[in-house]
Amino acid sequence: MHAEVISVGTEILLGQITDTNSTFISQRLAELGIDVYFKTVVGDNEKRLLQALEIASGRSDMVILSGGLGPTKDDLTKQTVAKFLNCGLLTDKDALESIEEYYRQNNRKMTDNNLLQAKYLEGSVSLPNESGMAVGSYYQNQNGPDFILLPGPPSEMRPMFDKQVMHRLKENYAREHLLFSRVLRFYGIGESQLVTELDDLINGQTNPTIAPYAKVGEVTLRLTAQADSKESAKEILDETEQVISKRVGQYLYGYGDDNSLPEVVVEKLKQKGLTVSASESLTGGSFQKAVTDIAGSSQVFPGGFVTYSASAKENLLDIPKEIIIENGVVSEATAKWMAERTRIKMDTDFGVSFTGVAGPDTLEGNPAGTVWIGISQRDRQTAAFEYHFYGDRDAVRIRSVLAGFGLINNEL
Amino acid sequence: MHAEVISVGTEILLGQITDTNSTFISQRLAELGIDVYFKTVVGDNEKRLLQALEIASGRSDMVILSGGLGPTKDDLTKQTVAKFLNCGLLTDKDALESIEEYYRQNNRKMTDNNLLQAKYLEGSVSLPNESGMAVGSYYQNQNGPDFILLPGPPSEMRPMFDKQVMHRLKENYAREHLLFSRVLRFYGIGESQLVTELDDLINGQTNPTIAPYAKVGEVTLRLTAQADSKESAKEILDETEQVISKRVGQYLYGYGDDNSLPEVVVEKLKQKGLTVSASESLTGGSFQKAVTDIAGSSQVFPGGFVTYSASAKENLLDIPKEIIIENGVVSEATAKWMAERTRIKMDTDFGVSFTGVAGPDTLEGNPAGTVWIGISQRDRQTAAFEYHFYGDRDAVRIRSVLAGFGLINNEL
């Protein structure tokens, strides 16, 4: 079973956007043990898309296309694949209704192009789009490769793939010797140190393979085992995880691709029935945004403050002026006062505070990257910790937010 | 002149890394007016790389490969292209010396594979690598397409392209008529409506070309003019922009690839010496994060509130309990009270409020996507507007934040 991924869009050929859809699709196919031998990018051009379809059909058993399902004249993937397969287009009534409903509600004029978004390949299954308007198509073919058509925007493509495509591929094609992955998530250790500690494992063993991946402030290890059942894969993975844990277990905080430190912390708070609030200076709301990115976080988070200016710290949190004047905004004292006042005012179990220098400019003589994070708990001494983060403004803010979650995680 | 970009690497096919090299190369080629019609990704596999070279040679005048020049057994791009072209490999003496020097200095043993990194295609120009060891090749061909071989790591590929490849391409191929782009940014109009309004221009004219591109909540139009000087390009672009402005100018808020609506609004506030504060429910700090993402925003933003729970709305903003009980959290009245209280408490020129349903669950009988945004100004009637956004939780939050900036932008 060889799949080929075709990304359609002139903006990719012009370098205006990077094709991340094919990365995502490749990851999912790798999980299923479906090989990808080629990827192609082609513009919104009928002739050249037909060429690409011809080549792909000659060398692959499955062709997955993303992009070109939208309402503009540029978007011609669906029509072109239909022409290539010599089939018609049918209308998905549910999709059509929800498109019409959207235009009614927003008092906007619907154009003929919008109707096209509700169409799918004749002979295929229409794939509903929960984050957008254009439906996809899952076309199984007796006499040639299967075709799967997906929308271009990643926010639409990803959920459609996970909810509509994955289970169909699993049923139809997942191979006997499957690949099973486990992602270990680390916080507080850099990628190079992690790789050094595990050098012999990463380079010396093939089942499971161990692939490190670094994002700002976090490192993950993806262990991938080949096995003929879930159970034997679990054994293989457990064994390697144990060896890893012995060496760097103190930095391991969680599992899974999407299970970030904020999610782990919010989940733990939920389970323990605890609540958190925050006051943010340099992070400007990023911590609270990260909490509320998670559906259901209202259970653990009532709200908090963005105290960007010094006077906001005084007025919103009733911190005495002298504290800030004597110690400075970027100080242990200010961080502690902020955390404690926030916890008391919001009546939560935890209060977290962020004050520091995101950059690019210095503040009170402190270089960019200097950050104090305070943490206050009921019946515990309020504490604050100093950090010196590297990286640009964005990186410093992201690292600060993660460090805040790290401090709470340590207490849970 | 049509170029094709081939990225070589099994790790791209497995989705372990995203191919950003081809994005970079595409951008550079677009600057030179060299069209890219296809991109291909192929693994570290001789047979399939030969297939890809065969296809590319048949349809393109120039083939640019990146990846597969390194010292591991996987790396076989150079050898395979040599086989395809039926040419030998020569050793770059300078490169060889510096590789040997590196191993001497680090007391490490050099392997035969490392020698391969100093080799280049016979008949080509060797391209020195200032950030790594593997040299590139620039192979000009009388009887077929040119081949350019570049290393895979972006930190090596990019400087090599800019310093070794760009000037050669310019001399050999840059069209007399260069391409100049201008990006127009729109808010408050959907892609399909924008395209409908400009249908005749988008489809009927070729200089400049007009390419729409939609992100969540925003649409951009890229105008690309062919001209022999910057000045005549400006004339051509100005003329088309004027026609576009007449039709949809009320939605045009800015220019440029990276110049988002938040940046435009913060810049306008700065110029007018005005300030803004916010209280956020469903957006949970996202609006204030977006403001403080911008360096120097402290000039216009002192801080604000995250009022996620109903009681936080009452306690932090002193909104009478009855208001919320009578009208609900997701209501015009609550949005107005939140905006006005925030502005007064923070003593700013604008107060903006966000209350609504991010989803996935409904709230007070309102479906996900129902959002009220309030805006309060000194000496003006406080107003609030209802929105029905589609998309998932993230999309609803992003659209809400942009709508907030949109409301302020209208007043500036």
Side-chain angles (χ1 to χ4, degrees):
Chain A
M1 189 71 207
H2 306 150
E4 173 150 357
V5 182
I6 302 182
S7 303
V8 186
T10 302
E11 64 276 22
I12 308 174
L13 294 179
L14 287 168
Q16 291 165 1
I17 60 170
T18 294
D19 168 29
T20 57
N21 281 350
S22 75
T23 310
F24 177 90
I25 294 169
S26 295
Q27 288 166 352
R28 292 297 188 266
L29 295 175
E31 279 174 35
L32 298 173
I34 297 176
D35 290 320
V36 177
Y37 283 171
F38 296 97
K39 292 185 188 181
T40 305
V41 179
V42 60
D44 303 298
N45 176 288
E46 188 190 83
K47 189 179 125 211
R48 290 189 285 275
L49 178 52
L50 284 170
Q51 274 181 44
L53 292 169
E54 189 70 46
I55 292 169
S57 296
R59 65 186 179 191
S60 304
D61 310 311
M62 181 192 298
V63 184
I64 303 181
L65 295 108
S66 74
L69 304 189
T72 78
K73 283 250 167 80
D74 285 350
D75 296 303
L76 41 73
T77 301
K78 210 177 314 194
Q79 304 90 299
T80 306
V81 174
K83 188 171 182 181
F84 180 76
L85 292 171
N86 202 15
C87 74
L89 291 173
L90 303 179
T91 296
D92 179 326
K93 297 240 164 62
D94 291 343
L96 183 64
E97 257 177 45
S98 80
I99 294 173
E100 287 172 340
E101 176 64 20
Y102 170 81
Y103 280 88
R104 249 197 313 276
Q105 276 199 1
N106 288 273
N107 284 320
R108 282 160 71 172
K109 226 179 80 189
M110 197 168 87
T111 65
D112 285 349
N113 288 332
N114 292 110
L115 297 181
L116 192 59
Q117 296 188 89
K119 296 204 171 172
Y120 63 102
L121 296 177
E122 184 185 10
S124 78
V125 178
S126 173
L127 307 176
N129 185 337
E130 66 174 39
S131 338
M133 291 185 182
V135 300
S137 289
Y138 187 101
Y139 183 91
Q140 271 195 290
N141 203 341
Q142 299 303 323
N143 315 309
D146 294 350
F147 285 82
I148 301 173
L149 273 59
L150 301 166
S155 61
E156 301 176 24
M157 191 281 292
R158 293 177 182 206
M160 188 183 288
F161 200 94
D162 280 345
K163 293 182 190 164
Q164 304 295 332
V165 177
M166 276 302 269
H167 70 93
R168 292 188 165 92
L169 291 180
K170 256 185 209 161
E171 279 159 30
N172 295 330
Y173 299 112
R175 65 170 179 226
E176 234 170 273
H177 275 79
L178 289 175
L179 297 177
F180 295 89
S181 283
R182 180 180 301 174
V183 174
L184 310 184
R185 307 186 66 94
F186 296 86
Y187 173 75
I189 183 171
E191 186 187 18
S192 56
Q193 198 193 332
L194 187 71
V195 167
T196 306
E197 302 274 359
L198 305 176
D199 186 53
D200 53 324
L201 298 175
I202 292 173
N203 290 303
Q205 73 173 54
T206 54
N207 195 22
T209 57
I210 304 176
Y213 179 64
K215 286 201 293 187
V216 176
E218 281 193 83
V219 196
T220 63
L221 286 182
R222 177 182 293 268
L223 316 187
T224 306
Q226 266 192 37
D228 40 25
S229 74
K230 218 173 181 166
E231 291 67 35
S232 63
K234 187 177 176 302
E235 267 178 46
I236 297 172
L237 293 170
D238 282 350
E239 203 178 304
T240 297
E241 186 187 326
Q242 245 174 25
V243 181
I244 293 173
S245 276
K246 262 193 198 143
R247 303 193 195 170
V248 291
Q250 70 267 43
Y251 306 108
L252 176 68
Y253 76 79
Y255 299 87
D257 257 322
D258 299 317
N259 199 21
S260 64
L261 186 56
E263 280 165 300
V264 169
V265 168
V266 167
E267 190 53 38
K268 284 188 189 171
L269 288 170
K270 265 190 202 172
Q271 279 171 12
K272 303 197 170 185
L274 298 171
T275 55
V276 63
S277 58
S279 54
E280 305 185 55
S281 184
L282 83 151
T283 49
S286 308
F287 177 87
Q288 296 170 85
K289 175 188 182 298
V291 171
T292 57
D293 277 343
I294 301 161
S297 51
S298 57
Q299 217 176 304
V300 305
F301 174 73
F305 305 89
V306 179
T307 53
Y308 209 53
S309 69
S311 65
K313 292 176 186 70
E314 293 163 23
N315 299 337
L316 299 186
L317 300 174
D318 300 326
I319 298 179
K321 222 186 184 83
E322 311 84 70
I323 295 291
I324 295 179
I325 291 172
E326 274 166 34
N327 299 281
V329 169
V330 185
S331 67
E332 182 175 6
T334 300
K336 279 180 168 178
W337 273 86
M338 284 170 69
E340 190 158 306
R341 286 296 188 180
T342 301
R343 182 183 60 74
I344 293 168
K345 279 188 176 279
M346 300 306 300
D347 190 23
T348 50
D349 299 293
F350 289 96
V352 191
S353 68
F354 300 83
T355 180
V357 196
D361 298 331
T362 60
L363 183 64
E364 298 174 348
N366 296 296
T370 312
V371 177
W372 279 94
I373 303 181
I375 180 164
S376 168
Q377 300 176 67
R378 285 189 215 280
D379 313 320
R380 296 282 292 270
Q381 193 92 30
T382 296
F385 302 87
E386 187 176 12
Y387 298 84
H388 295 277
F389 295 121
Y390 63 93
D392 63 10
R393 183 178 174 85
D394 279 351
V396 168
R397 283 157 51 102
I398 293 171
R399 287 179 210 280
S400 300
V401 167
L402 282 173
F405 282 108
L407 288 178
I408 304 172
N409 192 44
N410 292 342
E411 303 294 325
L412 289 173
Chain B
M1 187 72 208
H2 305 150
E4 173 151 357
V5 182
I6 300 182
S7 303
V8 186
T10 302
E11 67 275 24
I12 307 174
L13 294 180
L14 287 169
Q16 290 166 358
I17 60 170
T18 293
D19 169 28
T20 57
N21 280 350
S22 74
T23 310
F24 178 90
I25 294 169
S26 295
Q27 287 166 350
R28 291 296 188 265
L29 295 175
E31 280 174 34
L32 298 171
I34 297 175
D35 289 321
V36 177
Y37 282 172
F38 295 97
K39 293 186 190 181
T40 304
V41 179
V42 60
D44 303 299
N45 174 288
E46 188 188 83
K47 189 181 125 209
R48 289 190 284 276
L49 179 52
L50 284 171
Q51 274 182 41
L53 291 169
E54 189 68 47
I55 292 170
S57 296
R59 65 188 180 189
S60 303
D61 310 311
M62 180 191 301
V63 184
I64 303 183
L65 294 108
S66 74
L69 304 188
T72 79
K73 287 245 168 83
D74 286 348
D75 295 305
L76 42 71
T77 301
K78 212 179 309 195
Q79 305 90 298
T80 308
V81 175
K83 188 172 181 179
F84 180 76
L85 291 171
N86 201 15
C87 72
L89 291 173
L90 305 177
T91 296
D92 179 325
K93 297 238 165 62
D94 292 343
L96 183 63
E97 257 177 45
S98 79
I99 294 173
E100 287 172 340
E101 175 64 19
Y102 171 82
Y103 280 88
R104 251 196 313 277
Q105 278 195 2
N106 288 272
N107 285 320
R108 281 165 67 177
K109 227 180 82 188
M110 200 168 84
T111 65
D112 284 351
N113 286 332
N114 291 112
L115 297 179
L116 193 60
Q117 295 187 90
K119 295 202 171 175
Y120 62 101
L121 296 176
E122 185 185 10
S124 79
V125 178
S126 173
L127 307 176
N129 184 338
E130 66 174 39
S131 344
M133 291 185 181
V135 300
S137 289
Y138 188 102
Y139 184 92
Q140 271 196 288
N141 203 342
Q142 297 304 319
N143 316 309
D146 295 350
F147 285 83
I148 301 173
L149 271 58
L150 301 165
S155 59
E156 302 177 24
M157 190 282 291
R158 293 178 183 205
M160 189 183 286
F161 200 95
D162 280 345
K163 292 181 189 163
Q164 303 295 332
V165 178
M166 277 300 270
H167 70 91
R168 291 187 166 91
L169 291 179
K170 252 184 212 163
E171 278 159 26
N172 296 329
Y173 298 113
R175 294 203 272 249
E176 236 168 88
H177 287 86
L178 290 174
L179 297 179
F180 297 87
S181 280
R182 179 181 301 174
V183 174
L184 311 184
R185 305 185 68 92
F186 295 86
Y187 172 76
I189 182 169
E191 185 186 16
S192 57
Q193 198 193 336
L194 186 70
V195 166
T196 306
E197 302 276 356
L198 305 175
D199 187 55
D200 53 321
L201 297 175
I202 292 173
N203 290 299
Q205 75 175 52
T206 54
N207 195 19
T209 58
I210 304 176
Y213 178 63
K215 286 201 291 187
V216 176
E218 282 194 81
V219 196
T220 62
L221 286 182
R222 177 180 293 268
L223 316 187
T224 305
Q226 273 193 33
D228 41 24
S229 74
K230 219 173 180 165
E231 292 67 37
S232 64
K234 186 177 177 300
E235 266 178 47
I236 295 172
L237 293 169
D238 283 349
E239 202 178 306
T240 296
E241 187 187 325
Q242 245 173 27
V243 180
I244 293 173
S245 277
K246 261 194 199 143
R247 301 192 197 172
V248 290
Q250 69 267 42
Y251 306 107
L252 175 69
Y253 75 80
Y255 298 88
D257 260 320
D258 300 316
N259 200 22
S260 66
L261 184 57
E263 282 167 297
V264 169
V265 168
V266 167
E267 189 52 41
K268 283 188 189 171
L269 288 170
K270 265 191 200 170
Q271 278 171 12
K272 301 197 171 184
L274 298 171
T275 56
V276 65
S277 58
S279 54
E280 305 185 56
S281 183
L282 83 152
T283 50
S286 308
F287 177 86
Q288 296 170 83
K289 175 187 182 298
V291 170
T292 58
D293 277 343
I294 301 161
S297 51
S298 57
Q299 218 175 305
V300 305
F301 174 73
F305 306 89
V306 179
T307 53
Y308 210 52
S309 69
S311 64
K313 292 177 185 68
E314 292 163 24
N315 299 337
L316 300 185
L317 300 175
D318 300 325
I319 298 179
K321 222 186 183 85
E322 311 84 70
I323 295 292
I324 295 180
I325 291 172
E326 274 167 33
N327 299 281
V329 168
V330 185
S331 66
E332 182 175 8
T334 301
K336 280 182 170 177
W337 273 86
M338 285 172 66
E340 190 157 306
R341 285 296 187 182
T342 302
R343 182 182 63 73
I344 293 167
K345 279 188 176 278
M346 301 305 301
D347 190 24
T348 49
D349 300 292
F350 288 96
V352 192
S353 68
F354 300 83
T355 181
V357 195
D361 298 330
T362 59
L363 182 64
E364 298 174 347
N366 296 297
T370 312
V371 177
W372 279 94
I373 303 180
I375 180 165
S376 167
Q377 302 174 66
R378 288 188 211 280
D379 314 321
R380 298 279 293 269
Q381 193 92 31
T382 296
F385 302 88
E386 186 177 13
Y387 298 84
H388 296 277
F389 297 121
Y390 65 94
D392 63 9
R393 184 174 172 87
D394 279 351
V396 169
R397 283 157 52 102
I398 294 171
R399 287 180 211 279
S400 300
V401 167
L402 282 173
F405 283 108
L407 288 179
I408 304 173
N409 193 44
N410 292 342
E411 302 294 325
L412 291 171

